[in-house]
């Protein structure tokens, strides 16, 4: 079955960095684009970044542009989200999503002093 497992979240002070990973299995990973979403308490889930199957095309939510970088390693069936210059408003549960399956458990990112 399709499985997406997020990891790499944690607590960091404003201005710090984290790198999230999403390990995929159960489908031909290299054929599909992937997306990172996040959901903060009391807010709707929102798209953060997306990447095409080859990694040649990448798009970002305006508020994270210049701070976050999405990438992928098709040999490892893994998509990454490098997050720099983190702000308290980045605090949320982060999820990865592909064309199959539902939502996983996500990984918690907390940015605070």
């Amino acid at each position: 079955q399709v499985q997406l497992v997020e990891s790499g979240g944690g607590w960091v002070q404003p201005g710090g960095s984290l790198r999230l990973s999403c390990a995929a299995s159960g489908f031909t990973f290299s054929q599909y684009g992937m997306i990172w979403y996040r959901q903060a308490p009391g807010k709707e889930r929102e798209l953060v970044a997306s990447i095409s199957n080859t990694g040649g095309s990448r798009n970002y939510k305006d508020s994270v542009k210049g701070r976050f970088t999405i990438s992928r390693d098709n040999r490892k069936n893994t998509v990454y989200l490098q997050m720099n210059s983190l702000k308290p408003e980045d605090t949320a549960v982060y999820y990865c999503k592909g064309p199959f399956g539902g939502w996983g458990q996500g990984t918690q990112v907390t940015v605070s002093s």
Side-chain angles (χ1 to χ4, degrees):
Q1 79 277 37
V2 172
Q3 189 170 17
L4 300 171
V5 181
E6 302 95 339
S7 63
W11 174 86
V12 66
Q13 295 189 77
S17 298
L18 286 172
R19 183 169 67 178
L20 308 184
S21 297
C22 174
S25 60
F27 66 101
T28 307
F29 179 77
S30 62
Q31 292 184 356
Y32 301 98
M34 296 292 292
I35 301 172
W36 281 100
Y37 292 84
R38 69 186 182 189
Q39 187 167 27
K43 297 183 179 180
E44 296 183 352
R45 204 190 313 262
E46 63 181 1
L47 189 151
V48 178
S50 63
I51 187 168
S52 62
N53 63 320
T54 64
S57 181
R58 297 179 287 186
N59 289 281
Y60 302 91
K61 176 180 173 64
D62 285 345
S63 63
V64 310
K65 185 170 61 178
R67 300 188 296 120
F68 291 11
T69 302
I70 188 171
S71 62
R72 66 191 296 158
D73 185 339
N74 286 343
R75 293 183 178 181
K76 295 183 177 180
N77 285 184
T78 301
V79 61
Y80 305 95
L81 186 68
Q82 177 68 47
M83 305 185 295
N84 299 325
S85 302
L86 282 162
K87 304 176 180 180
E89 48 263 50
D90 295 317
T91 296
V93 178
Y94 284 71
Y95 303 87
C96 63
K97 189 75 173 67
F100 307 110
W103 299 97
Q105 295 302 304
T107 185
Q108 174 71 229
V109 171
T110 302
V111 185
S112 65
S113 298

